[in-house]
Amino acid sequence: MRVFVTGSGGHIGSAVVAELIEAGHEVVGLVRSEASADAVAALGAEPLRGDVNDVALLRTTAEAVDAVSHLAFDNVAAATGGVGAAADADRLVVRAFADALEGSDKAFIGIGMGRTGDEELDRRLEQNPRTFVSREVAEFAARGIRSILIAIPPVTHSDRDTHGFVPMLIDIARRTGVSGYIDEGQNLWPAVHTLDLAHLYRLALENAPAGAQLIGAAEPGIPVRDIAESIARHLGVPAASIPADTAAEHFAPFPFMGMDVTMPNEQTRALLDWDPTHLTLLEEIDSGHYFA
């Protein structure tokens, strides 16, 4: 297949491009810079210089390929409090893709969760404005598009990960002299190795049915205290509980320490015969590259 990948020069996107190329697919990768264009070309893909908000370019390119994997998102704006505006911009992007792909039965892979049927879980998901973009993608199947949603866990780890949860925790531990967790640290974070996630993207492209909801977590939930203690051993600092009422100040500017979520993956494993084989999160931390 000929696949259009947005965000192709990023942490996850570059791994997806490499996985698709290795499996024999052709890839057109949307990139913003010359450096990213060179990196994508080195993987064997065709770089396309442009902006993800150029909806005319997106439509034209989508019409000329067999599938779209949409990974680009304004994470910088989201991290600085502009997640609502970034989600609004992303909604216009996915609508442009839907207009181009309608009635084609081509695959469109988006990020996130559609409605789960669990009222409490759906309410919690709605606290993230990106959820409403995901729900639009879930409805594409009714428009003759093989729409697929992949829920990506908050920790996607590998030596490509330079700005995620783990690097931020390490930076905070270095700055404060403490590798902290909130209260007992029993809140859970799901995780996946970047290359296992990329493999799931390829399996989804090749085999997932229209309307599929896939869970991209290799590990459904890891206690945050275990993560903090592993970081502490490598930095030679104490691991310590931070009271909830001072956590926001201690972990600033990282607002996600109290996140507590699990992502069971049994259905995804069974549907696509997905078998993650790379390092677990704690094995990844122990490999040492995060501390270089």
Side-chain angles (χ1 to χ4, degrees):
M1 277 188 271
R2 186 167 173 81
V3 188
F4 181 32
V5 179
T6 70
S8 60
H11 164 202
I12 296 172
S14 60
V16 170
V17 169
E19 173 79 19
L20 295 178
I21 293 290
E22 185 177 354
H25 298 286
E26 298 179 10
V27 175
V28 178
L30 184 66
V31 294
R32 290 183 297 178
S33 68
E34 194 63 36
S36 291
D38 291 343
V40 167
L43 294 173
E46 175 188 335
L48 175 65
R49 286 289 299 274
D51 190 299
V52 73
N53 297 308
D54 183 346
V55 294
L57 176 65
L58 301 182
R59 289 193 190 103
T60 301
T61 308
E63 289 169 352
V65 298
D66 303 305
V68 174
S69 178
H70 177 44
L71 284 157
F73 187 75
D74 191 347
N75 290 301
V76 174
T80 56
V83 66
D88 288 341
D90 195 40
R91 183 179 286 109
L92 297 178
V93 169
V94 301
R95 287 175 179 172
F97 279 128
D99 291 342
L101 298 174
E102 186 167 12
S104 68
D105 290 323
K106 294 178 180 180
F108 179 87
I109 304 178
I111 294 174
M113 291 283 293
R115 294 188 184 276
T116 68
D118 181 325
E119 290 186 7
E120 174 59 22
L121 177 56
D122 285 342
R123 185 191 63 78
R124 286 163 50 198
L125 290 171
E126 288 170 4
Q127 295 174 13
N128 183 345
R130 294 188 72 179
T131 296
F132 298 99
V133 182
S134 303
R135 289 180 180 173
E136 289 206 22
V137 173
E139 295 171 359
F140 288 178
R143 299 177 61 180
I145 302 168
R146 185 163 65 92
S147 60
I148 301 158
L149 280 172
I150 298 181
I152 298 178
V155 184
T156 302
H157 57 88
S158 69
D159 57 8
R160 301 167 185 253
D161 174 25
T162 57
H163 296 93
F165 277 28
V166 174
M168 292 194 74
L169 290 191
I170 291 171
D171 287 346
I172 292 168
R174 283 176 167 150
R175 172 172 54 82
T176 64
V178 173
S179 182
Y181 48 88
I182 298 177
D183 293 336
E184 298 301 314
Q186 293 307 300
N187 54 306
L188 302 175
W189 288 355
V192 67
H193 192 282
T194 307
L195 298 183
D196 285 321
L197 181 61
H199 184 54
L200 178 60
Y201 264 82
R202 198 250 297 172
L203 294 175
L205 173 71
E206 295 173 347
N207 300 309
Q213 173 69 71
L214 306 177
I215 302 299
E219 297 178 272
I222 306 158
V224 173
R225 179 170 182 165
D226 292 352
I227 300 170
E229 289 176 344
S230 181
I231 290 172
R233 288 194 298 272
H234 284 272
L235 291 180
V237 300
S241 172
I242 307 299
D245 58 358
T246 62
E249 179 181 0
H250 179 88
F251 293 107
F254 183 70
F256 304 113
M257 280 304 297
M259 178 184 293
D260 185 14
V261 62
T262 57
M263 296 176 65
N265 59 25
E266 291 84 358
Q267 290 184 343
T268 297
R269 286 176 177 260
L271 178 66
L272 297 178
D273 196 25
W274 180 50
D275 183 22
T277 59
H278 290 85
L279 297 178
T280 66
L281 175 58
L282 296 182
E283 289 170 344
E284 189 84 61
I285 294 172
D286 283 341
S287 73
H289 68 79
Y290 277 117
F291 306 94

